[in-house]
Amino acid sequence: MQKIEKAVSYKEKVYRELKTAIISQRIKAGEILNERKLAEKLGISRTPVREAIQQLANEKWVIIEPYRGAYVYELTEKDIIEVFQVRLALECLAIELIVNKISEEDIEKLKDIFRKQEKLKEKYKAEEFIEVDREFHTFIANHSENTILIDMLNELGDIIRRLGVQAVQDKKRFMETLDEHIAIIDALSMKDEAKAVEAMKYHITKTRDNIYNRYIENKES
């Protein structure tokens, strides 16, 4: 007899819905989260909405201020720099850990993920692209078999997705990302550690620069 799984609470459902909307930018940075309106829209009481907003505030996705209420936290220049400092170090380390043990079967799986991304050129959707992008990077991280590295990247995962959606709003960056991913795959297939690390470093740095430049442009506009 299988264990009966605990039903997902309304609070958890609201939390996931709001967090997903923030990551995908359907709810923008600085936007007010009106407890009453959200409860009406979702067809539930205000209590689980209030609890979900509080959880998001605890995780720094939302700020709660007296007289203003709850609003979506806007990532700062410092946040962007720090996230990418850590991401760059971890993802390059992941490459170093897998390059000499990655199998031909693993390379084919990476190519399958790449082909899924490439198909999205036909109907360009940033959110879908980022989901497959995360699959690509998670595959590499998981094959490092370093649990601390994997946990740290998972911890950063949602912030990286939120920033990534911003990066690939520009279709030019979308196409560049495809080129950078295939360069990583090619270097791994040759088991060329220096080239693979450089390809990953270039990819993460280009992503960081694109996001940072968009951040500065938005601040100045």
Side-chain angles (χ1 to χ4, degrees), residues 153-167:
L153 279 172
N154 283 338
E155 186 74 21
L156 285 175
D158 287 335
I159 299 174
I160 290 170
R161 281 172 65 210
R162 183 181 179 187
L163 291 169
V165 169
Q166 295 178 38

Side-chain angles (χ1 to χ4, degrees), residues 16-205:
R16 291 179 187 175
E17 176 62 29
L18 291 176
K19 190 174 182 181
T20 299
I22 293 168
I23 289 168
S24 65
Q25 297 189 58
R26 285 184 281 117
I27 299 178
K28 306 289 186 186
E31 190 169 331
I32 299 292
L33 299 178
N34 185 292
E35 191 181 295
R36 179 182 57 79
K37 288 181 179 178
L38 285 169
E40 288 175 358
K41 185 177 180 180
L42 296 168
I44 57 175
S45 71
R46 292 172 65 169
T47 300
V49 175
R50 185 182 309 117
E51 291 173 347
I53 290 172
Q54 185 59 59
Q55 185 175 343
L56 289 166
N58 293 342
E59 297 174 6
K60 207 180 172 182
W61 290 90
V62 165
I63 303 295
I64 300 175
E65 288 184 0
Y67 308 111
R68 182 176 177 183
Y71 61 93
V72 176
Y73 174 72
E74 181 175 3
L75 292 167
T76 65
E77 181 178 349
K78 185 172 183 286
D79 291 327
I80 295 168
I81 291 169
E82 290 181 352
V83 165
F84 277 95
Q85 282 174 339
V86 176
R87 185 183 179 191
L88 181 62
L90 292 175
E91 298 230 34
C92 287
L93 175 58
I95 291 290
E96 291 174 6
L97 292 173
I98 73 167
V99 68
N100 291 316
K101 62 183 179 183
I102 194 165
S103 67
E104 288 185 15
E105 184 182 353
D106 292 333
I107 293 294
E108 284 306 311
K109 286 178 181 175
L110 275 175
K111 287 180 179 178
D112 286 342
I113 296 169
F114 172 81
R115 283 188 279 268
K116 280 165 63 177
Q117 273 192 307
E118 198 173 31
K119 281 183 181 178
L120 293 172
K121 287 190 298 186
E122 299 161 15
K123 293 182 179 179
Y124 177 59
K125 292 182 180 178
E127 283 183 56
E128 288 182 25
F129 185 87
I130 289 301
E131 286 302 320
V132 185
D133 184 82
R134 187 175 188 180
E135 185 181 350
F136 179 89
H137 287 277
T138 299
F139 185 91
I140 291 172
N142 287 346
H143 280 68
S144 74
E145 298 179 349
N146 183 311
T147 54
I148 294 175
L149 180 151
I150 294 164
D151 288 345
M152 289 177 74
L153 279 172
N154 283 338
E155 186 74 21
L156 285 175
D158 287 335
I159 299 174
I160 290 170
R161 281 172 65 210
R162 183 181 179 187
L163 291 169
V165 169
Q166 295 178 38
V168 295
Q169 294 297 331
D170 175 6
K171 195 165 184 179
K172 178 174 177 284
R173 180 62 199 143
F174 177 103
M175 300 303 295
E176 288 173 348
T177 298
L178 291 175
D179 291 340
E180 291 157 21
H181 278 189
I182 201 64
I184 293 167
I185 294 170
D186 288 345
L188 285 172
S189 67
M190 292 185 288
K191 298 192 182 297
D192 186 329
E193 181 176 330
K195 192 172 181 179
V197 169
E198 186 56 37
M200 180 62 83
K201 183 178 180 181
Y202 180 79
H203 171 54
I204 301 299
T205 302

